[in-house]
Amino acid sequence: MENSKEIKAQRSISRGNNKILFTIISILLGLIVGAVVLLVSGYNPLEAYKALIEGISKSPRNIGWAIVNSTPIILTGLGVCFAFKTGLFNMGAEGQFIIGSVVGYLIAYALPLPPILHPIVAILLAMLAGALYGALAGWIKSKFGIHEVISTIMLNWVAFYFSNFVAYKYLKPNSMATFDVIDTAKITLVSKKTAKTMGPFFSKFFKAPIHWGIILAIVAVIIVWYILNKTVLGYELKAVGLNREASEYGGINAGKKIVQSMAISGAICGLAGATQILGFTYAISVTSAMDNYGFDGLAVSLLASNNPIGVIFSGLFFGSLKYAGSNLQRVLGVPSELINIIIGTIILFTSVPLIFRIIRAKRRNRKLKNTEVKDTEEKNPKEKVNPTRIRKENVQNDSVTSDNVEEKKIVSNNKSSSNIINETGEDIIVRTIESEEE
């Protein structure tokens, strides 16, 4: 047992190191592609990347602004990451972000409350709204079998037009934005007067509107990591994500877990919207297009290999790139779209290993089915074999009634006829609990 645990630990460490190495390589390849685009466009790549770095690190104020830009996409990236970890593709992070921002604004503007209580109530209700909006997509999937990508994309547009409707209702005269939220609801971390007394570095650092959102983002990352790795809920959610059929044989209500997963993901994205309103914009604007915080969160999650801790670093990286893009345009006249080219290339290279894993897992499944059919035909040469029926019967035969909690590890093994391999080729552990019959 100890040797097997040590082997598993070594494999997980090795896998983690490989992911980090490949992420670094993907970033370098993205920067190389960006350099090629700059050369073709007639710009000097070295000067451009120098301006990019200076746009982030030239002064403490720039660093502060990079953090402000990174905060919402860290949270939306975390929401997408949670859904990915449980086998769901949450394309509705943008819509859940918008719903959270609208509800947060309405509470912060129209409901007068004491200073400390006001932002807490606004954030909690915004998270609840985001959770309900995410749960709706999960319920549609579990009830009607409609893929979450379709339903969440449609819900994004519903949220977008609802935001514009609310913005028109509270529109400030001669402006395309609403009135600002009440001061008691703002979550600015340090006031300007206090910042002036904090020394040369922090007085400049807090010229950027740093708010409590970055602290809440770090806390949310820790909570999500704990839920996924240390709780029964996290185990069940990941089991459903890895293989829904196997988890249902293990006694898990897969439909309920899908709704719960999307609700938690939506709550995190709703938190992103609320903190953006209460800490930075203070108002809702009438817009002709989405702000793309949710879609940026998708890129952040992919770059972090769906690791909650990694989301912090990938979010800071993307947020810094996007902020520094304006400096690149100002200094050299380079279009800011170059940043999107670099980010897109990085995500493209990052997704390559996942594609190969899915292809490899499907090949293994195909070989396994062919082996099962061949074995059954040798035993019953006259009987026509259905591979799907064989796999279901094998899994049912493997479920033995017991008083105790049993752990059954379903792994790919050519000798076993009851193997189930998920699309990413990962091992699945299914726990079954069966009560003693009286």
Side-chain angles (χ1 to χ4, degrees), residues 312-327:
I312 296 176
F313 302 102
S314 60
L316 287 171
F317 175 71
F318 277 173
S320 300
L321 274 182
K322 283 185 167 292
Y323 173 69
S326 59
N327 186 60

Side-chain angles (χ1 to χ4, degrees), residues 66-225:
I67 292 174
V68 171
N69 279 268
S70 302
T71 300
I73 61 176
I74 289 174
L75 283 168
T76 54
L78 183 65
V80 174
C81 168
F82 188 90
F84 268 138
K85 277 288 188 182
T86 55
L88 298 169
F89 201 81
N90 185 10
M91 290 292 289
E94 183 72 21
Q96 294 145 20
F97 173 92
I98 293 171
I99 290 295
S101 63
V102 170
V103 172
Y105 172 79
L106 291 174
I107 301 301
Y109 174 74
L111 183 64
L113 289 171
I116 297 176
L117 185 63
H118 203 172
I120 294 175
V121 172
I123 288 172
L124 289 177
L125 290 178
M127 290 180 67
L128 178 61
L132 292 174
Y133 210 64
L136 176 60
W139 179 78
I140 291 172
K141 179 181 176 68
S142 63
K143 184 72 174 178
F144 304 104
I146 299 172
H147 201 281
E148 67 273 11
V149 170
I150 298 172
S151 59
T152 50
I153 288 176
M154 296 297 102
L155 288 171
N156 282 346
W157 289 104
V158 174
F160 171 72
Y161 289 116
F162 176 68
S163 174
N164 279 349
F165 169 79
V166 173
Y168 274 117
K169 185 174 179 61
Y170 295 97
L171 206 61
K172 191 163 43 176
N174 302 320
S175 173
M176 293 302 290
T178 62
F179 292 94
D180 285 355
V181 300
I182 303 173
D183 289 341
T184 54
K186 294 180 180 179
I187 56 172
T188 306
L189 195 58
V190 176
S191 64
K192 293 181 179 179
K193 292 182 179 179
T194 307
K196 291 179 180 179
T197 64
M198 298 181 69
F201 179 86
F202 288 105
S203 61
K204 294 179 180 179
F205 179 76
F206 284 108
K207 280 185 178 180
I210 308 291
H211 53 82
W212 281 95
I214 187 63
I215 307 299
L216 293 174
I218 295 171
V219 172
V221 164
I222 295 170
I223 292 173
V224 166
W225 178 88

Side-chain angles (χ1 to χ4, degrees), residues 369-370 372-373 385-394:
K369 286 181 180 180
N370 292 337
E372 290 173 350
V373 171
V385 180
N386 186 342
T388 305
R389 181 178 60 80
I390 293 173
R391 291 173 64 78
K392 288 184 178 180
E393 288 178 356
N394 287 332

Side-chain angles (χ1 to χ4, degrees), residues 334-345:
V334 177
S336 58
E337 284 76 15
L338 173 70
I339 301 301
N340 294 328
I341 293 174
I342 294 173
I343 290 174
T345 308

Side-chain angles (χ1 to χ4, degrees), residues 273-348:
T275 53
Q276 185 74 352
I277 287 292
L278 303 182
F280 179 41
T281 61
Y282 305 133
I284 300 173
S285 299
V286 177
T287 58
S288 58
M290 300 181 192
D291 292 326
N292 288 333
Y293 288 113
F295 299 111
D296 288 340
L298 179 65
V300 165
S301 179
L302 288 172
L303 183 64
S305 298
N306 301 324
N307 186 310
I309 305 298
V311 164
I312 296 176
F313 302 102
S314 60
L316 287 171
F317 175 71
F318 277 173
S320 300
L321 274 182
K322 283 185 167 292
Y323 173 69
S326 59
N327 186 60
L328 195 64
Q329 188 173 20
R330 184 174 60 254
V331 174
L332 297 176
V334 177
S336 58
E337 284 76 15
L338 173 70
I339 301 301
N340 294 328
I341 293 174
I342 294 173
I343 290 174
T345 308
I346 291 170
I347 297 306
L348 177 64

Side-chain angles (χ1 to χ4, degrees), residues 50-69:
K50 181 181 177 182
L52 202 63
I53 294 171
E54 287 179 350
I56 303 169
S57 59
K58 189 174 182 180
S59 74
R61 180 177 174 275
N62 290 26
I63 297 173
W65 272 105
I67 292 174
V68 171
N69 279 268

